[in-house]
Amino acid sequence: MWTPWVGKNYSENRILLLGESSYAYTERADGPLEEPQPDHPIRMVEGQLEPIADDSAFMSMLTNALTNHDCDSVEKRHAGWNQVAFTNYVPVSVGTAARQRPDEHAWNLAKSEWPALLEKLSPRHVIVLGLTCWDNIPKGKAIPDNTYTGPDRNPSIEEFTLGNGQPVLCWCHWHPAAGASWKSIHNLILHIQNRSQNRA
């Protein structure tokens, strides 16, 4: 299991952003391929918190979503990322380049670690980024919400229950490289926050 990024204000809304998978990468254009280490999710976020943010399209979209596209300073980016936790679902590297997909063994490993991931982070909400990722998560209880205009999946919201009885709502959303926009992710976060306030 990866070591997740956990923002210092995560406990306020307990929203987990869940990517699909990671792959080997280079720190420099002419550098060697490096395998992601256990703290890879943390390093992915920290790349967004440098004075000049890392140019990852995936992480840049999440940063824009968390800041409502107002992320022109380190302080604003910190404020955004401090709201959430982040990690990837598949707990192993899946190859040497983007668009390489997990194999059956990797998906099965992710499924086996899913309960432990939920217990570790105790989220109230999980935004699952990617339809294939959604299709490979263990199935929970279907939850209706006619006001959520997400992907065409039935269901697109599922509920899991932690060992302490706390419910966790998982929300299906498009992947940033395949249908999502920073605005759609931002709007889902607002939807989750409004839903929580209305039920408080």
Side-chain angles (χ1 to χ4, degrees):
M1 183 184 299
W2 305 112
T3 302
W5 162 269
V6 180
K8 68 179 182 180
N9 298 324
Y10 169 66
S11 61
E12 293 179 8
N13 291 300
R14 306 197 76 84
I15 296 174
L16 167 62
L17 301 180
L18 188 69
E20 180 190 285
S21 55
S22 300
Y23 49 88
Y25 62 96
T26 58
E27 290 283 1
R28 305 181 312 276
D30 60 346
L33 274 176
E34 298 185 26
E35 288 294 328
Q37 298 303 302
D39 65 346
H40 188 61
I42 295 174
R43 296 181 64 181
M44 291 173 73
V45 174
E46 288 177 342
Q48 293 295 298
L49 305 178
E50 298 290 338
I52 298 177
D54 184 80
D55 62 359
S56 161
F58 176 85
M59 295 303 290
S60 296
M61 185 180 292
L62 296 186
T63 298
N64 281 319
L66 292 169
T67 61
N68 197 20
H69 211 336
D70 183 16
C71 53
D72 58 357
S73 71
V74 172
E75 291 75 19
K76 291 175 180 177
R77 297 195 293 274
H78 265 286
W81 279 103
N82 277 335
Q83 301 174 58
V84 298
F86 168 76
T87 194
N88 282 324
Y89 177 57
V90 175
V92 292
S93 175
V94 299
T96 59
R99 305 284 183 175
Q100 290 184 280
R101 308 312 305 276
D103 59 19
E104 184 177 1
H105 170 74
W107 285 125
N108 287 337
L109 185 59
K111 290 173 185 176
S112 72
E113 294 191 1
W114 175 244
L117 175 62
L118 293 182
E119 292 292 341
K120 179 182 180 71
L121 290 173
S122 187
R124 294 193 189 98
H125 299 273
V126 181
I127 298 176
V128 180
L129 297 165
L131 304 189
T132 305
C133 188
W134 177 262
D135 292 341
N136 279 279
I137 284 176
K139 297 298 102 180
K141 175 185 175 183
I143 300 295
D145 185 341
N146 294 331
T147 61
Y148 174 47
T149 55
D152 185 17
R153 284 293 192 274
N154 185 19
S156 59
I157 309 168
E158 294 184 351
E159 182 182 88
F160 296 83
T161 304
L162 300 183
N164 63 4
Q166 176 197 307
V168 180
L169 287 187
C170 292
W171 302 76
C172 177
H173 203 70
W174 299 278
H175 191 277
S181 67
W182 74 264
K183 192 68 173 177
S184 71
I185 300 169
H186 177 75
N187 287 342
L188 176 51
I189 292 170
L190 292 180
H191 181 79
I192 288 170
Q193 292 171 338
N194 290 335
R195 178 189 173 102
S196 298
Q197 291 169 3
N198 291 337
R199 292 169 180 265

